[in-house]
Amino acid sequence: MSTIIFRTIAPYIAALAALFSVFVLLRGHNEPGGGFIGGLIAASAIATYGIAWGVAPVRRAMVVHPIALAGFGVFLAAVSGFLSLFAGMGFLSGLWVTIHVLGVDLALSSVLLFDIGVYFTVVGAISTIGLTLEEPEQD
């Protein structure tokens, strides 16, 4: 789809969807669930930009290859599981740490790390599939 209206508005839609995906990721901060849907929203932002401008501009805009992003996400999710093993708990048990930043208590957890891993995995995998399907065949 290459209408001038869609090409003009697609970067704004993609940026807004990417920002919303981060909000959805952090919404599930201490409970699982925000990483998967946030990753799907981010992948749809990438797909929207790809439909408007094509695959090559999307690949140039992405700093990291989508497969590497998915692999990094799996690594983060695995690390969050092993952190609880090192703490003497079961695999993937939640660990929480509260730190003070600028006078505000900030609760960090291994659940958030797992959600970030799921987010990157979903963004990388779905983006790879979408970009591969959009690319023209080469013989």
Side-chain angles (χ1 to χ4, degrees):
M1 180 180 296
S2 63
T3 64
I4 189 73
I5 295 172
F6 185 59
R7 283 184 148 208
T8 303
I9 203 166
Y12 299 108
I13 291 172
L16 194 62
L19 186 64
F20 182 65
S21 74
V22 173
F23 170 76
V24 170
L25 167 68
L26 296 177
R27 178 200 54 82
H29 179 90
N30 287 331
E31 297 176 7
F36 185 80
I37 191 69
L40 286 178
I41 293 169
S44 68
I46 292 169
T48 300
Y49 192 77
I51 291 170
W53 288 94
V55 173
V58 171
R59 289 202 185 273
R60 281 194 304 268
M62 293 185 77
V63 178
V64 179
H65 194 279
I67 288 292
L69 199 62
F72 179 68
V74 170
F75 174 74
L76 281 182
V79 165
S80 71
F82 286 113
L83 284 177
S84 57
L85 280 180
F86 292 130
M89 301 172 70
F91 186 70
L92 288 176
S93 296
L95 298 173
W96 280 265
V97 174
T98 303
I99 60 172
H100 299 279
V101 177
L102 302 173
V104 177
D105 290 336
L106 183 62
L108 299 176
S109 67
S110 62
V111 176
L112 177 64
L113 186 63
F114 179 78
D115 269 343
I116 292 171
V118 169
Y119 178 87
F120 284 138
T121 303
V122 170
V123 169
I126 299 297
S127 297
T128 299
I129 293 169
L131 293 175
T132 303
L133 291 175
E134 284 287 323
E135 280 182 331
E137 288 186 29
Q138 297 174 354
D139 290 328

